[in-house]
Amino acid sequence: MSRFEGKRVVITGGSRGIGLATASRFAAEGAHVVITGRSLDRLNDALAALGQVPNIVALKCDVTNVSELEALFAGINAHYGTFDVLVANAGVGQRTEFEKVTEAEFDRIMNANVKGAFFSVQKALPYLNPGSSVVLVGSNLSYTGWELATVYGASKAAVLNLTRSLASTLSSRGIRVNGVTPGSIRTAMLQEVVLDHYDEAEFVASELPMGFIGDPDDVAKVIAFLASDDARYILGEDILCDGGSTRL
Ligand SMILES: NC(=O)c1ccc[n+]([C@@H]2O[C@H](COP(=O)([O-])OP(=O)(O)OC[C@H]3O[C@@H](n4cnc5c(N)ncnc54)[C@H](OP(=O)(O)O)[C@@H]3O)[C@@H](O)[C@H]2O)c1
């Protein structure tokens, strides 16, 4: 039986990578899905890649812009009604030496990863049904340090706490908030930040205990689990999906 038959799901940053795989998974399990992103071209490419599935629509919205978020969720409600799942996935990566981080880069990363996640949940809240589920997408760099991702790591550590703070805040309304913490997942972000700069085999051998890079769908499966009734007694939790690279 499809776990999300008749459910409505909103995924920020759904035009590629983990967000796109998550959209595909929810749609395959019967949900009506809205994906968002800043680039209309990228959203159209995503719809084409998904094969113009009738239960997925794409809407342009920059999560760093709070009025765009307000308009997004009000518009979704007006056209499709209230919804059952929010995946706050949109985010940007970083590869900059500490001394070279500018104020503009600091703000760009914090705005996308922290402000974006915070206001995505706040502005979605009026339209989330009782019994809804929110999943925030963090990063294992919230647990470990990397010299080229000082701002990114701090931003994802903030997301980790946001998962717990919002779980506490929203549980009385019957809304479960949890997080997923990906490690190295094969997406454009990983390509740009990591894989373009190392020999892949050496990177995998030195960093990944399981010996391979994860697929976006590995994370999508965890997100779908957390959003489903299978996780009905899980609240404020954060599940690592990193092939063991943080714990081992
Ligand atoms: N891949 C990994 O190894 C990895 C590891 C740990 C955590 N993560 C996290 O997983 C999430 C997804 O990453 P990914 O690897 O799938 O990245 P990706 O391939 O770069 O995709 C990012 C998505 O977010 C959207 N986006 C970025 N900034 C946005 C903004 N301001 N407003 C709205 N949408 C925005 C992008 O579309 P537009 O650019 O068109 O807006 C795109 O759809 C991120 O939060 C990332 O930090 C990824």
Side-chain angles (χ1 to χ4, degrees), residues 52-164:
Q52 304 290 347
V53 191
N55 50 340
I56 301 186
V57 296
L59 298 172
K60 192 169 176 305
C61 175
D62 182 342
V63 296
T64 68
N65 185 321
V66 177
S67 31
E68 280 190 27
L69 280 171
E70 264 170 344
L72 170 78
F73 293 120
I76 292 170
N77 180 58
H79 282 91
Y80 309 105
T82 53
F83 36 95
D84 307 284
V85 177
L86 171 69
V87 183
N89 163 76
V92 295
Q94 182 195 12
R95 184 187 172 84
T96 324
E97 288 163 30
F98 174 62
E99 291 93 331
K100 293 188 178 157
V101 173
T102 60
E103 183 180 0
E105 185 178 34
F106 184 96
D107 289 346
R108 182 182 68 83
I109 295 165
M110 285 293 180
N111 282 343
N113 296 356
V114 185
K115 180 182 174 187
F118 183 96
F119 284 105
S120 292
V121 181
Q122 191 199 64
K123 298 308 173 194
L125 187 57
Y127 314 109
L128 281 168
N129 294 322
S132 292
S133 184
V134 173
V135 182
L136 303 183
V137 179
S139 164
N140 65 340
L141 288 173
S142 61
Y143 291 106
T144 61
W146 185 35
E147 60 192 4
L148 297 176
T150 46
V151 185
Y152 180 82
S155 76
K156 291 298 187 174
V159 170
L160 184 60
N161 183 271
L162 208 48
T163 298
R164 291 174 189 155

Side-chain angles (χ1 to χ4, degrees), residues 13-19 36-39 42 61-64 89-92 112 137-140 152 156 182-185 187-190:
S15 58
R16 67 180 192 179
I18 292 168
T36 75
R38 292 165 301 177
S39 156
R42 211 169 263 169
C61 175
D62 182 342
V63 296
T64 68
N89 163 76
V92 295
V137 179
S139 164
N140 65 340
Y152 180 82
K156 291 298 187 174
S184 295
I185 304 298
T187 67
M189 182 187 290
L190 187 77

Side-chain angles (χ1 to χ4, degrees), residues 120-244:
S120 292
V121 181
Q122 191 199 64
K123 298 308 173 194
L125 187 57
Y127 314 109
L128 281 168
N129 294 322
S132 292
S133 184
V134 173
V135 182
L136 303 183
V137 179
S139 164
N140 65 340
L141 288 173
S142 61
Y143 291 106
T144 61
W146 185 35
E147 60 192 4
L148 297 176
T150 46
V151 185
Y152 180 82
S155 76
K156 291 298 187 174
V159 170
L160 184 60
N161 183 271
L162 208 48
T163 298
R164 291 174 189 155
S165 298
L166 295 179
S168 166
T169 306
L170 302 183
S171 62
S172 60
R173 302 182 197 206
I175 298 172
R176 285 187 307 108
V177 181
N178 289 291
V180 61
T181 291
S184 295
I185 304 298
R186 195 177 292 283
T187 67
M189 182 187 290
L190 187 77
Q191 190 66 42
E192 286 156 23
V193 172
V194 176
L195 299 179
D196 281 348
H197 307 272
Y198 303 101
D199 177 85
E200 185 174 317
E202 278 175 28
F203 168 76
V204 169
S206 66
E207 302 292 332
L208 306 181
M210 293 185 78
F212 65 93
I213 293 168
D215 288 329
D217 190 52
D218 291 321
V219 183
K221 284 175 188 154
V222 178
I223 293 171
F225 163 69
L226 286 172
S228 77
D229 198 50
D230 295 338
R232 63 174 217 146
Y233 204 51
I234 298 181
L235 177 67
E237 186 54 87
D238 186 70
I239 299 183
L240 274 164
C241 181
D242 70 340

